[in-house]
Amino acid sequence: MTLNQGSAVKSMDFHPVQQILLLVGINTGEIMVWDLSSRERLAVRNFKVWELQACSMPLQASLANDYTASINRVIWSPDGTLFGVVYSKNIVHIYSYHGGNDVQNHLEIDAHSGSVNDLAFSYPNKQLSIVTCGEDRLIKVWDAVTGNKQYTFEGHEAPVYSVCPHRKENIQASPCIRFNKEGMFMAVSTNENGIKILANTDGIRLLRTVENRSFDTSRVGSVAVAKAPTMGTFGAANAPVGSSIVDRAPMASIVAMNGDNRSLVDIKPRIADESVDKSRIWKLTEINEPSQCRSLRLPDNMTATKVSKMIYTNSGLAILTLSANAVHRLWKWQRNERNVSGKATTSVAPQLWQPSSGILMMNDVSDTNPEDAVPCFALSKNDSYVMSASGGKISLFNMMTFKTMTTFMPPPPAATFLAFHPQDNNIIAIGMEDSSIQIYNVRVDEVKTKLKGHQKRITGLAFSNVLNVLVSSGADSQLCVWSTDGWEKQTNKYLQVPSGRTPNPLADTRVQFHQDQIHLLAVHETQIAIYEAPKLECLKQWVPREASGPITHATYSCDSQSIYVSFEDGSVGILTAATLRLRCRINPTSYLPANPSSRAYPLVVAAHPSEPNQFAVGLTDGGVYIVEPLEAEGKWGTSPPHENGAGPSTTSGAANSDQPQR
C-alpha cells in the first residue's frame, strides 16, 4: 500500500507495541498517526513549541558538546536506553538515557571519512549494534557497548544515504526507512510525498485479521480493538523463535502501486508447508538426558542456602540472587574470545563477583529469622542499584561497590514485594506484610499514599506503561488494578481455583505483564492464567498435571512468546504463551546431577533479557543453573497445532496437562 502524506517525509517510526500504527513527521512540521489496517490517518498535529523560554534545557545542553553542526538524525535504540545523534559532520554520538534529565555520554564514533547520512540500531539475538552509512559508500556496523567496528560493507556505486534493502524506481534517492519491532512491516518514503508499506507473510496475515475484524479473544496477543490493536509477536507458531527479517518470508508488496486498489482479502499470503505441518503428528518434546540440552551450574564458594529471588541484569551480563540468609550473590560474565558479547551463556563460566573491599551485599534482618522472612528485591533500569529486603529494613545497594546507600522503613510491617515505577526510579511501590501497598518516594523519604484492597500479604506487583496502572497480587489469591494517576482502585478479581485442587491458603500469586503491557500473566501453585487488563478478564488458564507437584514459579521469556514454569518435582515446562499449550518439558535428569540423596528443585526461574531461549533456575540447595537448547535445535520444541473450531477446554490431569482452560 501507499500512504500519501502531502509533503516530503522527514522521519517516521512504528509504534513498538501497537505495531500497525505508524508515526510520520513531514517537512511542514506536521505529525501524523496512520492505521495500516484501514489505511486511515488517525491523527494530525502541527508541531509547536509553547513558551520556549520557560522550557528546561538540560537535554540540549548535554548534547551541545561545543558542536555547531546541524543534526541530521536522532533515533532511539529498541529498548529506549540509548539514543543516537548524527551531526552533519562524520561523528556519531550515542547517549545513554535513564529517565528525566539523566542523559550521559556513552560513545563517540568517528564513523566515516565523509558525512554520516543515516543511522539505525540493530537488535539481533546476540547484542545491540549500531548501523551507519555515509558518503564514503560504506555501511558499517558497530558494537553499541564498546564502539568497536564489527563489519564493513563495501561496493556501492554511489554514496549510501539510507540503510535500505529494497529499492524501486519511485523510492527516493535518500529515503526514510523503518521496520516495525517484529520485522513484519517495512515503511519506505517515496518521491511522490508518500510512504510505501511492504510486508512479509506474517504482516499480511495480521492485516487480513484486523481488516476482517475476526477477533479471537482466547488468543493471547490477539487484536483487542479495531483502530489500535495491541499485540505481541503475530504468527509466532510459524516463525522461528528469535528469527530476523531475513530468516522469514521475503518482502512482498501488499497492494500493487499503480492505482491498484484490490482489497487485502484478494491477496493470498504464501504460508509455506502449512498443510504439511498440520498433517504431521505433534509430540511433546521431552528433555531427559544431559546430552539433549546445554546447562551450567554457576560457581559458588558460599554456604548453601536456598535461592529466594533471582534476576538477570537488564544488560544480560550478570545474574543476581538473594538467598534465604539475606545475602546477595552476583555472577558476571567477562567479554573474551569465547564470549564476544559478554552476556550470560552456558558456554563460559562466569565469575562470582565481589568488590575489592570484600564486603557482602547483605540485607538488614533486625530481630527476624531470615528463614522466616519474605525476601524481595527490585533492580533499577540501568543495573546500578538494587532495592532489597529480607524481613528487616529496606536497603538500597550500589551494584558496583556493594555499599549500602540507605536503609528505610523498618518493620513492622515488613516489605514483601518491591517494584520501581517505570517512569521514575525515585518512586517505589512496596507491598507489605499487612496487605497494604505503600507508594514511597526515596528522594524525599516519604510515603505518598497507601493502597488498601487485599486481605493478606502482597506477593506481586507489576506496572503497565501502556495502561498507566499498577496490578497487585496477594496471598489472598486476589488481583487488584490501581490507576497510577490518582492511585484509585479500578477493579479486582479472585483467581479461579481449578476444581479438585486445594491450594495452600498462603500460596503466593505473582503477576507479570506481557510485552504488549496489556495481557497479564498470573502465577499460582495451582495454575498459570492470562488476564487482559485493566478489566482483568480471564482469557486462558492452564492447570499442570498433579504428578509434577505444585508450580513454584513462572515467567515470560524476553519476547513474551514463551512461559517458563518450574515445578516442585524439579522439572521445567515451556508453554507457548499465545495458546498456553505445553510444548516442551525439561526433566531434572537433564540438568541436575544424579544424586539420590539430593532432592533439590527450582524455587525461582528467570528469563534472559535478550535471549528468548535461555533461562536460569535457583534451587532449594542454593545452586543456580543456566539452561539453553542445543545449538542445533535453537529453541525448545515446537508448538502444537491449533484445534480446528475447538474452544478452550477445561480439563486437567496427566493426560491433558498441556490443555489450556477457559
Side-chain angles (χ1 to χ4, degrees):
M1 69 180 71
T2 296
L3 308 175
N4 185 26
Q5 308 302 305
S7 192
V9 175
K10 303 301 291 183
S11 190
M12 57 189 173
D13 203 12
F14 281 96
H15 192 286
V17 177
Q18 300 182 87
Q19 299 190 55
I20 62 169
L21 298 186
L22 180 67
L23 178 69
V24 181
I26 60 178
N27 66 351
T28 59
E30 286 183 315
I31 300 169
M32 308 173 186
V33 178
W34 289 85
D35 179 348
L36 301 190
S37 64
S38 63
R39 306 181 189 87
E40 180 182 353
R41 190 169 62 182
L42 301 180
V44 181
R45 296 291 184 272
N46 195 26
F47 182 71
K48 197 179 215 179
V49 177
W50 293 79
E51 298 186 38
L52 184 61
Q53 66 275 14
C55 293
S56 172
M57 307 300 283
L59 182 60
Q60 181 177 326
S62 299
L63 300 182
N65 245 3
D66 296 326
Y67 283 94
T68 57
S70 62
I71 293 175
N72 285 347
R73 173 80 71 186
V74 293
I75 187 171
W76 287 103
S77 68
D79 61 358
T81 61
L82 300 174
F83 63 88
V85 180
V86 175
Y87 296 93
S88 57
K89 299 181 179 180
N90 61 343
I91 301 296
V92 172
H93 278 266
I94 307 298
Y95 298 89
S96 64
Y97 179 72
H98 304 298
N101 59 0
D102 186 6
V103 178
Q104 301 174 14
N105 290 321
H106 177 65
L107 285 177
E108 181 177 306
I109 302 174
D110 189 353
H112 293 266
S113 57
S115 293
V116 179
N117 294 330
D118 204 358
L119 167 72
F121 282 96
S122 171
Y123 213 168
N125 290 338
K126 296 299 181 185
Q127 65 192 67
L128 182 66
S129 301
I130 304 162
V131 186
T132 61
C133 55
E135 289 185 342
D136 54 8
R137 306 182 183 183
L138 301 177
I139 295 176
K140 299 182 180 181
V141 181
W142 312 81
D143 188 307
V145 176
T146 64
N148 296 330
K149 186 168 65 176
Q150 296 176 317
Y151 311 103
T152 298
F153 298 93
E154 303 182 21
H156 294 276
E157 297 179 357
V160 184
Y161 288 95
S162 181
V163 186
C164 177
H166 184 92
R167 287 197 179 213
K168 290 191 176 180
E169 67 276 0
N170 63 334
I171 299 295
Q172 290 177 326
S174 178
C176 293
I177 178 170
R178 286 292 179 270
F179 286 103
N180 77 327
K181 188 174 182 179
E182 297 297 341
M184 293 182 290
F185 302 114
M186 183 174 75
V188 187
S189 60
T190 69
N191 284 326
E192 296 83 16
N193 298 331
I195 296 176
K196 178 194 286 280
I197 305 295
L198 307 171
N200 64 12
T201 52
D202 284 343
I204 292 172
R205 291 170 60 213
L206 169 59
L207 290 178
R208 290 183 66 184
T209 301
V210 179
E211 184 180 66
N212 294 336
R213 299 297 186 261
S214 177
F215 302 136
D216 176 11
T217 57
S218 69
R219 178 185 173 94
V220 176
S222 64
V223 180
V225 291
K227 290 296 182 185
T230 302
M231 54 180 301
T233 303
F234 190 87
N238 296 316
V241 175
S243 62
S244 66
I245 190 69
V246 295
D247 297 322
R248 302 182 186 178
M251 284 291 180
S253 287
I254 298 176
V255 177
M257 298 302 304
N258 298 323
D260 189 343
N261 292 319
R262 293 177 295 160
S263 69
L264 292 178
V265 179
D266 295 331
I267 297 178
K268 304 298 189 291
R270 292 169 295 172
I271 304 175
D273 298 328
E274 184 177 38
S275 59
V276 177
D277 289 340
K278 286 183 177 179
S279 66
R280 293 173 182 163
I281 300 175
W282 176 84
K283 184 179 180 181
L284 174 71
T285 300
E286 293 269 1
I287 307 293
N288 296 306
E289 304 293 336
S291 61
Q292 293 178 283
C293 66
R294 295 176 291 165
S295 65
L296 172 71
R297 177 164 179 149
L298 305 191
D300 190 8
N301 55 11
M302 295 185 178
T303 304
T305 310
K306 70 179 181 181
V307 179
S308 300
K309 295 291 179 181
M310 180 174 63
I311 192 173
Y312 284 85
T313 57
N314 295 297
S315 65
L317 304 176
I319 286 179
L320 175 70
T321 66
L322 173 59
S323 297
N325 62 359
V327 175
H328 300 79
R329 292 178 294 172
L330 180 66
W331 286 271
K332 289 185 177 181
W333 275 259
Q334 304 299 314
R335 190 188 303 271
N336 53 42
E337 291 182 358
R338 294 182 61 196
N339 186 15
V340 178
S341 70
K343 292 189 177 182
T345 175
T346 57
S347 303
V348 180
Q351 176 187 3
L352 181 59
W353 199 84
Q354 271 193 311
S356 56
S357 64
I359 64 173
L360 292 177
M361 194 157 45
M362 184 173 181
N363 280 334
D364 167 66
V365 294
S366 298
D367 298 326
T368 307
N369 180 355
E371 294 285 344
D372 297 332
V374 179
C376 52
F377 66 23
L379 190 63
S380 65
K381 292 179 186 176
N382 59 4
D383 296 333
S384 297
Y385 303 98
V386 62
M387 194 81 66
S388 188
S390 295
K393 296 177 184 177
I394 300 173
S395 300
L396 177 66
F397 295 100
N398 184 305
M399 285 278 283
M400 291 295 294
T401 65
F402 284 13
K403 290 182 179 179
T404 305
M405 310 299 293
T406 186
T407 59
F408 54 95
M409 296 185 70
T416 56
F417 204 92
L418 300 167
F420 282 100
H421 193 289
Q423 274 92 37
D424 189 346
N425 268 346
N426 293 306
I427 304 295
I428 309 166
I430 307 173
M432 310 298 288
E433 183 72 39
D434 68 354
S435 78
S436 67
I437 302 167
Q438 302 196 19
I439 307 302
Y440 179 77
N441 190 314
V442 180
R443 188 182 296 274
V444 298
D445 189 21
E446 181 182 346
V447 176
K448 292 295 185 182
T449 188
K450 185 181 290 189
L451 312 180
K452 295 184 178 180
H454 290 272
Q455 282 74 52
K456 296 178 181 178
R457 62 180 171 85
I458 304 302
T459 59
L461 296 168
F463 282 97
S464 169
N465 279 327
V466 171
L467 300 176
N468 294 323
V469 297
L470 169 68
V471 175
S472 60
S473 59
D476 55 2
S477 300
Q478 184 184 190
L479 308 177
C480 295
V481 179
W482 312 85
S483 166
T484 56
D485 295 329
W487 299 111
E488 300 91 1
K489 186 165 76 170
Q490 294 184 345
T491 189
N492 69 293
K493 289 282 178 70
Y494 284 89
L495 292 183
Q496 303 168 9
V497 178
S499 58
R501 302 288 176 108
T502 305
N504 179 343
L506 293 178
D508 288 355
T509 303
R510 302 178 183 90
V511 286
Q512 180 188 4
F513 270 104
H514 184 279
Q515 197 176 57
D516 64 12
Q517 297 278 289
I518 291 178
H519 293 97
L520 182 78
L521 170 67
V523 181
H524 188 263
E525 65 174 24
T526 65
Q527 64 185 274
I528 299 294
I530 302 295
Y531 290 81
E532 186 172 35
K535 293 183 179 180
L536 292 183
E537 178 190 357
C538 185
L539 303 178
K540 282 189 180 293
Q541 183 189 57
W542 180 81
V543 179
R545 60 179 186 176
E546 293 189 57
S548 300
I551 294 171
T552 58
H553 199 244
T555 185
Y556 275 121
S557 61
C558 63
D559 58 4
S560 294
Q561 292 186 20
S562 302
I563 299 172
Y564 296 111
V565 188
S566 59
F567 298 93
E568 201 171 272
D569 70 350
S571 65
V572 178
I574 294 100
L575 305 180
T576 298
T579 58
L580 283 195
R581 293 291 303 272
L582 182 67
R583 72 170 188 266
C584 180
R585 183 183 291 117
I586 303 171
N587 291 308
T589 52
S590 65
Y591 73 95
L592 294 180
N595 183 359
S597 63
S598 174
R599 296 189 67 253
Y601 60 87
L603 285 175
V604 287
V605 58
H608 192 287
S610 57
E611 294 284 356
N613 291 292
Q614 184 190 124
F615 66 91
V617 289
L619 307 183
T620 50
D621 67 355
V624 176
Y625 285 81
I626 294 183
V627 188
E628 294 180 288
L630 297 175
E631 285 187 324
E633 298 292 334
K635 60 181 179 178
W636 297 111
T638 57
S639 297
H642 296 290
E643 299 86 359
N644 292 326
S649 65
T650 55
T651 58
S652 63
N656 299 303
S657 61
D658 58 333
Q659 293 287 337
Q661 294 193 5
R662 181 67 180 267

